[in-house]
Amino acid sequence: MSSKKTGGLAGVVAGESAICTVGQGNGLNYRGYSIEDLAKYATFEEVAFLLQFGELPNKIELQEYKEKLTKARSLPEKLKNILENIPKNAHPMDVMRTGCSALGAIEPEFNFQSEQDRVIIRLLGIFPSILLYWHHFHKDGTKLDTNSDEDTIAGYFLEKLHGKSPSQDVRRCMHVSLILYAEHEFNASTFAARICASTLSDTYSAITTGISVLRGPLHGGANEAAMKLIDSFDGIDEAVKGVYKILEDKKLLMGFGHRVYGEDGDPRSPIIKSWSKKLGGDTDTFKISEAIEKVMKKEKPQLPTNADFFSASAYRFLDIPTDYFTPIFIMSRTTGWAAHIKEQRANNKLIRPSSQYIGVENRNYIKLGDR
Ligand code: CMC
């Protein structure tokens, strides 16, 4: 397991789960529903309910769930103070991680069996408020008013970011993006959150763990990194030359490749690409993105675009700042993390694998003065 090719637990089945299939000849399904159907017909709140409770909600259940999520947007004064004291130039992922952890100290979970669903809903509801309170306080010195007529996370986030209600297409694209990012089996952040839960730790700690692991550019941070790559090129010719140079230098192109899907491709990618095209197909950003994709298809067909590549341009067309891309991933993936935390707890066994020792053996201890 120590070489690069066999490392990273690639191909290792690390446990059972009834939440999601990734690949396996079956595409991406959440609790048996295809990602294509969910992205076409569902709202993000229906998907969040499905992941949290195992079934799609009926009308009354959905209404009650949305009311709880809306109530959960409010920020305690102590958390506002903390957000005001996080530096203006901090990375928004630091804001989200700190906000989650701080809420765990302000509104602790004493008994996860009876309180986990309340805490999950609280976090889902409050995450947009955490980011946007910090954003507005440091950008224009205003304190976010969490009251809104928008009754969905997508609508609320966009309204509070831009100061106006989003258009229908923009709101729907946000729902789709949140649906696509919601769950993905034993990806690194979910597995880490499960490990945390397996020690019988609390929900806030497990979600904070997920946030910390999501941040890296090999995982959720790839959407931000992909946007920076696209932005670094002035036009199509420069982008084509730039991609060849990156490949020549054996560097990574963010937003390409996937551990599980491999060359079959990530089923989320065509869905978010179609939204990116719909909202910004005639822009340089979209044309450069497609040019990069074209070179990769020709030179590295085994590394197709993953969900993050066209999410980047889609978010640009929603007028979302680049360093908020991965925090949005948190607002969505909290549903998947939560489903896995609950599943882990329902049949818990401490996750504690072993390693193969490859270090030095049998050394004689040398006293400090003799070294
Ligand atoms: N650009 C250039 N080369 C690549 C890329 C890429 N994006 N991805 C893999 N390769 C190369 C890699 O360097 C290796 O080459 P070699 O055999 O010469 O050493 C070969 O392809 C096999 O790659 P690997 O690193 O063994 O594959 P992995 O399964 O460990 O990595 C991955 C999967 C997603 C980490 C990787 O494809 C990658 O780093 N992609 C860029 C980051 C990215 O987009 N991450 C988002 C992942 S999906 C959604 C999410 O979680 O957010």
Side-chain angles (χ1 to χ4, degrees), residues 126-139:
I126 205 171
F127 274 142
S129 302
I130 287 176
L131 181 65
L132 295 176
Y133 186 91
W134 172 81
H135 166 88
H136 287 297
F137 183 81
H138 290 294
K139 188 171 159 272

Side-chain angles (χ1 to χ4, degrees), residues 13-137:
V13 174
E16 293 183 333
S17 174
I19 302 170
C20 174
T21 63
V22 171
Q24 305 166 12
N26 211 0
L28 173 59
N29 300 272
Y30 300 167
R31 299 202 186 273
Y33 295 100
S34 79
I35 196 64
E36 288 79 11
D37 279 356
L38 293 172
K40 198 167 174 188
Y41 303 116
T43 58
F44 175 59
E45 281 69 17
E46 287 172 78
V47 171
F49 187 100
L50 171 71
L51 290 169
Q52 189 170 347
F53 300 109
E55 296 294 338
L56 285 169
N58 63 30
K59 271 189 184 169
I60 295 170
E61 286 167 333
L62 181 62
Q63 190 52 37
E64 284 171 2
Y65 189 58
K66 282 165 73 173
E67 280 165 16
K68 285 184 190 164
L69 287 168
T70 301
K71 276 199 193 117
R73 291 171 182 168
S74 70
L75 291 156
E77 285 305 315
K78 285 186 177 132
L79 184 52
K80 289 183 188 170
N81 291 338
I82 290 169
L83 294 170
E84 287 173 19
N85 282 293
I86 295 178
K88 180 185 179 152
N89 58 356
H91 193 284
M93 286 299 281
D94 291 328
V95 177
M96 299 297 273
R97 191 192 58 238
T98 304
C100 182
S101 181
L103 191 69
I106 297 164
E107 298 175 7
E109 179 192 55
F110 294 107
N111 176 337
F112 58 71
Q113 295 300 358
S114 60
E115 292 184 282
Q116 61 186 1
D117 283 318
R118 171 186 66 76
V119 173
I120 291 162
I121 289 172
R122 180 67 166 135
L123 285 170
L124 277 172
I126 205 171
F127 274 142
S129 302
I130 287 176
L131 181 65
L132 295 176
Y133 186 91
W134 172 81
H135 166 88
H136 287 297
F137 183 81

Side-chain angles (χ1 to χ4, degrees), residues 241-270:
K241 275 190 212 141
V243 174
Y244 276 107
K245 174 89 176 81
I246 291 169
L247 293 177
E248 217 178 277
D249 293 346
K250 302 227 169 292
K251 290 188 181 151
L252 293 174
L253 272 122
M254 296 308 178
F256 290 85
H258 196 278
R259 170 66 65 81
V260 184
Y261 295 120
E263 63 191 26
D264 290 346
D266 182 335
R268 300 168 298 179
S269 181

